[in-house]
Amino acid sequence: MSGAGAGAAPDGASPAEEAAAPGEQPVFRIAVLASGSGSNLQALIDEVHGRAAAGAPVIQIVLVISDVPGARALRRAADAGIPTATIPSADYPDRTQHDLAIVAALRQAAPDLVVLAGYMRVVTPPLLEAFPYRVINLHPALLPCFPGAHAIPDAVAYGVKVTGVTVHFVDTGVDTGPVIAQEAVIVQEGDTVDTLATRIHAVEHRLLPQVVGLIAAGNVHPPLPGTRVVQVD
Ligand code: GRF
């Protein structure tokens, strides 16, 4: 995989800046994959869609894809005027064919970044190879603790006193890719899965838009070959 940044070309200009015609405001294009309620998609719509930090490109969510027909995330996107696609896994013989259909839809939308926001499937190499170091995921625990689909109940059951949120580059493992950002959440005495989840989701809704803004501004640099340390300016 390339050592060039998700948001940074080797000369420091973001791909969005390089693509913009002279005098045109550069646009940083995001595609979001979501399977469920889409509250993190909503945070992106509310906090970054159509916005730009000083000197950074305008961020546009150009496509929302769900593998779940009728997912609330699709309604949130439609309400915001964002194009949607439903690509159910049941329509394809295996995970790779399903991901190839997703790649075809993504290529049409030409995203600079693909955000997995509550996308409950493991992605396969064809998707990652199509967008090297341009696919990020949000996870409701401090990885490498509690990977998988039950991170919050797992943390409560284990009895940890601190858990949190991770945003990371996606690789072919389950929640194993290089960490971009993490924020801790203290487990309080008497916390249930629901009370802890409420505080974790509040952190997610802040951290994910923040990381997307940093990537759009070219401030996140994937690991050098042979390492897994992500540099964030
Ligand atoms: C979030 O907790 C995210 O970390 C996990 O799935 C949940 C999705 O929530 N991967 P939502 O669909 O964004 O509301």
Side-chain angles (χ1 to χ4, degrees), residues 14 16-17 25-28 51-59 213-219:
S14 76
E17 285 165 340
Q25 172 82 30
V27 173
F28 188 84
R51 297 185 184 198
V58 173
I59 295 168
L214 286 168
I215 293 174
N219 290 334

Side-chain angles (χ1 to χ4, degrees), residues 172-215:
T172 51
V174 177
D175 301 321
T176 53
V179 170
I180 301 170
Q182 292 185 305
E183 188 169 321
V185 174
I186 302 293
V187 182
Q188 294 170 356
E189 203 61 42
D191 252 338
T192 63
V193 170
D194 284 348
T195 58
L196 180 60
T198 299
R199 296 203 308 287
I200 285 181
H201 293 320
V203 171
E204 289 185 323
H205 297 162
R206 185 162 38 74
L207 192 63
L208 182 63
Q210 190 184 323
V211 168
V212 167
L214 286 168
I215 293 174

Side-chain angles (χ1 to χ4, degrees), residues 35-108:
S35 301
S37 97
S39 68
N40 285 285
L41 166 66
Q42 191 67 53
L44 292 174
I45 291 169
D46 294 343
E47 301 300 326
V48 302
H49 183 53
R51 297 185 184 198
V58 173
I59 295 168
Q60 292 286 355
I61 304 173
V62 294
L63 178 64
V64 172
I65 298 177
S66 185
D67 57 317
V68 177
R72 185 158 171 220
L74 292 167
R75 286 208 304 282
R76 292 181 192 268
D79 287 348
I82 297 166
T84 63
T86 305
I87 306 180
S89 57
D91 290 358
Y92 300 88
D94 56 36
R95 286 197 298 147
T96 300
Q97 294 304 315
H98 182 230
D99 275 1
L100 285 170
I102 289 173
V103 167
L106 287 173
R107 283 197 196 281
Q108 297 251 320

Side-chain angles (χ1 to χ4, degrees), residues 1-10 15 28 103 106-107 110-115 123-137 168-172 177-178 180 215 220-223 230:
M1 288 189 186
S2 154
F28 188 84
V103 167
L106 287 173
R107 283 197 196 281
D112 297 297
L113 181 70
V114 179
V115 180
V123 300
T124 60
L127 197 152
L128 298 174
E129 284 158 14
F131 301 97
Y133 281 114
R134 292 181 186 281
V135 185
I136 65 170
N137 182 47
H168 63 95
F169 285 114
V170 175
D171 64 12
T172 51
I180 301 170
I215 293 174
V220 175
H221 308 280
V230 175

